[in-house]
Amino acid sequence: MSQPVEVDAVVIGGGIVGASAALFLALSGKRVALLERDFFGSHSSGVNYGGVRRQGRPLSQLPLSRRAHEIWGDLRAFIGTDGEYVRSGHLKLARSDKDMAALVAYEEASRGFGMQLQLLDHAQLRARFPWAGDVAVGASLCADDGHANPRLVSPAFAFAARRAGAQTFEQAHVSEVSHDGQAFVVRTADDQCFRGPWLLNCAGAWAAQLAQQFGEPVPMRAGHPAMLVTEPLPMFMDVSTGVEGGGIYARQVARGNCVLGGGQGFPLDPATARPGQAAILEILRNAVELYPPLAGAQAIRTWSGTEGYLPDREPVLGASSTQPGLLHGFGFAGSGFQIGPAAGEALAQMVCAGASNIDLTPFSITRFQSQPHTSSPAIVVPSGTDNVIPLLRGRSNP
Amino acid sequence: MNEAKNGAVSEAVNAPATSVASTVIVGAGPAGIRAAQTLLAHGLRPCLLDESLRGGGQVYRRQPEHFKRSAKALYGFEAGKAESVHTTIDQLQAEIDYRPETLVWNAESRTLDTLHNGRAAQVPFKHLIVATGATDRILPVPGWTLPGVYSLGAAQIALKFQGCAIGQRVVFAGSGPLLYLVAYQYAKAGATVAAVLDSSPFSAQTRALPALLGQPSTLAKGLYYRAWLTAHGVPVHQGVHLHDIQGERRVSGVSWQQGNQRKNLVCDALAFAHALRSETQLADLLGCDFAWSALNRAWLPTRDAAGRSSVEGVYLAGDGAGIMGADAAEMAGELAALTLLGDLGYRIDRARSIELQRQLAAIQRFRQGLETAFPFPEDWAAKAPDSLIVCRCEEVSAGEIRQTVAEGHWEINRVKAMCRVGMGRCQGRMCGLAATEIVAHASGREVACVGRLRGQAPIKPLPFGVEAEQ
Ligand SMILES: Cc1cc2nc3c(=O)[nH]c(=O)nc-3n(C[C@H](O)[C@H](O)[C@H](O)COP(=O)(O)OP(=O)(O)OC[C@H]3O[C@@H](n4cnc5c(N)ncnc54)[C@H](O)[C@@H]3O)c2cc1C
Ligand SMILES: Cc1cc2nc3c(=O)[nH]c(=O)nc-3n(C[C@H](O)[C@H](O)[C@H](O)COP(=O)(O)OP(=O)(O)OC[C@H]3O[C@@H](n4cnc5c(N)ncnc54)[C@H](O)[C@@H]3O)c2cc1C
């Protein structure tokens, strides 16, 4: 057996959360090993819709999301590329007075987090975004939110970690984890071995297994948002968009392609997924009423990913309650791309300083310990998060 | 209800209860048509789906109904076979559920997604024969995106289907048997064939002779086309490396390298391809296992000698699972149908099945010979200049692919994610193989070792606003 590589921290999972944790650890001078089973950012982090938005998140996430917003603002300095990130604005459309009322309520509740939401009535919406379909009665705009290319951004975090001194490994499947009393011993399927006092569980939809091993089972399930992209079209919108109450979301990239999401896919195997037939057709049929310029456009590709969801749709982020040195960061419920860098930074701060700057109590793994897992509670969908969490299919009520 | 009527008696104790729609064939080329015919002869009425307007597939593509050219004029030596395939589909039409102009764009569990006249529908199946055929294998050259440049197949379709030539002075380039055939068909139709530029050296064809003698009639036809071209003054150059295609707004000429000589020629159209590639997306979406085929230099869905894929109830026939040509496609279609029937408990002619397998094996040996005669130009990737556009949909150059490899990427899906090669309208059907060659060469790996582009729905673009049957 190979001699273990001694490090300060081992990070399992090279998605945006694990890679940014590795980056911030390396920037703080820690010896860190980042282990990714597949390729960096090849799962949720690299295949997501690309929405970089704070608007619509539950209030509990806004402090982290605000910090993430600063990191995104400085993206090139952190990862050496802009990853096609643009602060285009995020426009959340309402299709009914009831949905508009929800947007109004959210605007009020979320003041103080620096989002400066602008509520637009029907006339204002038409004046500013003439492309919007008539089914939209109003909208809420977060002018500083935006979108980015996840295929480029997420791997770039891992490459930046490597440049900052992290040891980074692709095709490194962690197959065995143990604790020898002083440190974790982490083995990969190809028999590499790492040893360190800190272990970061950033294994995305696959993280529950490790939590379970350390006596902290979590009721996580996998979800598979369906995605679709069009051929390049004449530019008609620059904002990233979503719909109150869920359904379809869309953005247009500089090359002209529109990326749309909505509905669910299904798993092909534990690591790959594909959009469902119904989801693809629902997007193709229903998108035009919200985005009339899509009429006659052609969809050229569809895809999905594998994302972890906990019943309350909040991530697990913070220290293990059973094993000192073990930190969790997973279960981002369809909206971890924007917040991922701040989550990674918070984990790094816990290693370096014993605590993170931002309070992570709402995300503690202990919230599952009192509940028996067999009778998982009815899923309460926090208002506003659902435009990237397509548990809801198709249209909401008009 | 037991469908084993028309005299076909089930061997099984429990008669197979197969509903009409539950046996589906995708592709109405020679393979699909023979499969349909065989199923029907045993009393099973399949549903036959094909994207094109009229059945016949690639090789026996039919002209529009109001065109009245003779089969001899269109298909030459193969006129008899073409007519037989066409007659068969015409006769089958009334008895099977034949759906032309129906694209299969996706498959999930036991259901196919189709698109017909802007309407989406679903076709459930229990048993499926995939006979999706092949299209040209393209190795881009500088200038290949100019108007006036066609694939060999497209040039042939223009002739067979629309009855028009792609230009006045046409150059045919690349390699493979189709090269000489299409050049011959053009010259016969009265077009000026300025030259045939074959990338394979003459010596290769001499080397291949013993294997090719296994199919004397096919070999004879190939030799005939060549001889005919030479006899009619068409220059044929061998061992040619296509350098570039020139032109401002349209093709005006071509230059190539032969030995250490550079040569030029004026032309107003050019058609090129390096043999064929199988259409495998549907098999991929169906979850079939794939394996590397050194002979085809491609990842292909695996099938057993009788035509079964790795997925239960899914059978593969024809060029869609490896290039073997039209005659083999007919046999493989019949064979797959017999295998399916046998698996369902129908009484089938086992001797016929064995005979078909024997003949297909012989053709496979001949195919080996063809590969020797028209070898893949292994130096293509090395010679492709950095400025060459490999992916025309996304305008990704060979240099950009090499740059991505230089950044440490070597797996083709990964390279695609990084530099967009294969991400456009054609979804890599046109550029995927070329990109793979560049990645392999640049990363110092075998082509078999850089992965396989994953199939993603839709197989071809789908319009917004489709109506769908609920
Ligand atoms: C289709 C889709 C659309 C989305 N849209 C948005 C959006 O618009 N905006 C937004 O903010 N969020 C979005 N999300 C959510 C977001 O992508 C995720 O929340 C985020 O990427 C999670 O990052 P992660 O690092 O936790 O997980 P992942 O990116 O999944 O990374 C986890 C990694 O761990 C690796 N791993 C697992 N087990 C092991 C092991 N044993 N050994 C080694 N490695 C292992 C995996 O291979 C994987 O790469 C979307 C998600 C999906 C799937
Ligand atoms: C242009 C061209 C010319 C050729 N000429 C010759 C020749 O002269 N001699 C020779 O031996 N071989 C020739 N070939 C090789 C040819 O592929 C085979 O010989 C023969 O046509 C194979 O028959 P097949 O039934 O397997 O497939 P094809 O004849 O290719 O038929 C496949 C059919 O499936 C349909 N299809 C494919 N995908 C879908 C989908 N997703 N949904 C719905 N329908 C679909 C296609 O429209 C097509 O009609 C040629 C190939 C090409 C491309």
Side-chain angles (χ1 to χ4, degrees), chain B residues 222-246:
Chain B
L223 293 175
Y224 174 82
Y225 300 138
R226 268 213 61 164
W228 190 96
L229 288 165
T230 319
H232 288 76
V234 174
V236 174
H237 302 286
Q238 291 209 265
V240 162
H241 169 70
L242 211 52
H243 188 267
D244 68 329
I245 304 165
Q246 298 116 22

Side-chain angles (χ1 to χ4, degrees), chain A residues 40 151 255 277 299 301-302, chain B residues 113 414 417 420 423 457 462:
Chain A
F40 294 131
R151 287 182 288 106
R255 282 175 300 274
Q277 300 168 306
R301 185 175 60 255
T302 64
Chain B
D113 286 288
R414 194 67 179 155
R420 314 188 60 78
M423 268 204 180
L462 269 187

Side-chain angles (χ1 to χ4, degrees), chain B residues 221-307:
Chain B
K221 273 178 269 175
L223 293 175
Y224 174 82
Y225 300 138
R226 268 213 61 164
W228 190 96
L229 288 165
T230 319
H232 288 76
V234 174
V236 174
H237 302 286
Q238 291 209 265
V240 162
H241 169 70
L242 211 52
H243 188 267
D244 68 329
I245 304 165
Q246 298 116 22
E248 286 289 321
R249 252 177 270 130
R250 210 197 135 77
V251 178
S252 60
V254 58
S255 82
W256 71 92
Q257 193 90 23
Q258 201 175 12
N260 27 19
Q261 277 184 305
R262 173 72 62 81
K263 298 184 183 169
N264 296 294
L265 199 64
V266 173
C267 61
D268 65 357
L270 179 140
F272 78 128
H274 281 85
L276 299 166
R277 52 161 284 281
S278 300
E279 279 285 307
T280 59
Q281 293 92 329
L282 181 57
D284 197 356
L285 291 171
L286 285 161
C288 295
D289 285 348
F290 277 60
W292 177 256
S293 159
L295 178 64
N296 288 278
R297 210 177 168 92
W299 289 90
L300 295 176
T302 55
R303 54 175 162 182
D304 69 11

Side-chain angles (χ1 to χ4, degrees), chain B residues 34-162:
Chain B
R34 290 299 176 213
Q37 181 185 30
T38 307
L39 294 177
L40 189 64
H42 289 77
L44 205 147
R45 293 174 49 209
C47 169
L48 175 59
L49 306 169
D50 194 285
E51 191 190 349
S52 49
L53 180 62
R54 306 192 69 195
Q58 293 289 8
V59 55
Y60 306 133
R61 188 174 287 268
R62 301 177 86 169
Q63 55 190 339
E65 228 153 344
H66 57 281
F67 280 46
K68 299 282 181 240
R69 289 161 296 170
S70 74
K72 187 78 202 157
L74 284 173
Y75 308 109
F77 286 129
E78 319 301 338
K81 289 177 192 165
E83 277 179 321
S84 159
V85 165
H86 295 161
T87 312
T88 304
I89 180 73
D90 289 346
Q91 285 169 352
L92 286 176
Q93 271 183 42
E95 299 192 64
I96 64 171
D97 179 7
Y98 172 49
R99 305 190 201 173
E101 288 184 277
T102 303
L103 169 72
V104 176
W105 60 268
N106 188 24
E108 183 178 319
S109 48
R110 294 264 144 179
T111 314
L112 300 174
D113 286 288
T114 62
L115 182 71
H116 171 70
N117 273 343
R119 280 187 73 82
Q122 296 195 328
V123 179
F125 67 87
K126 285 203 192 114
H127 313 282
L128 176 67
I129 298 180
V130 177
T132 44
T135 59
D136 300 275
R137 177 164 64 190
I138 299 297
L139 292 176
V141 280
W144 72 294
T145 53
L146 279 169
V149 181
Y150 294 77
S151 70
L152 284 176
Q156 200 190 38
I157 287 165
L159 199 62
K160 276 193 206 165
F161 186 69
Q162 285 127 346

Side-chain angles (χ1 to χ4, degrees), chain A residues 39-40 151-152 155 159 228 230-231 255 260 266 274 276-277 281 284-285 287 294 297-303, chain B residues 107-108 111 113 120 122 285 409 411 414 417-418 420 423-425 427 456-458 461-466 470:
Chain A
F39 294 108
F40 294 131
R151 287 182 288 106
L152 303 180
F159 305 147
L228 174 158
T230 69
E231 62 193 331
R255 282 175 300 274
L260 291 96
F266 62 94
R274 197 188 279 168
Q277 300 168 306
L281 287 173
L284 291 177
R285 276 186 300 159
L294 289 175
Q298 305 243 331
I300 59 174
R301 185 175 60 255
T302 64
W303 71 95
Chain B
E108 183 178 319
T111 314
D113 286 288
Q122 296 195 328
L285 291 171
H409 306 290
E411 200 274 335
R414 194 67 179 155
M418 292 295 150
R420 314 188 60 78
M423 268 204 180
R425 223 190 131 77
Q427 284 299 297
Q456 285 168 288
L462 269 187
F464 274 81
V466 281
Q470 283 295 307

Side-chain angles (χ1 to χ4, degrees), chain B residues 436-455:
Chain B
T436 306
E437 293 289 335
I438 303 255
V439 170
H441 177 257
S443 65
R445 290 164 193 260
E446 298 289 326
V447 246
C449 301
V450 297
R452 171 173 78 87
L453 270 183
R454 278 188 290 273

Side-chain angles (χ1 to χ4, degrees), chain B residues 381-393:
Chain B
K383 285 183 174 165
D386 274 346
S387 59
L388 173 68
I389 295 294
V390 173
C391 169
R392 60 180 182 178
C393 304

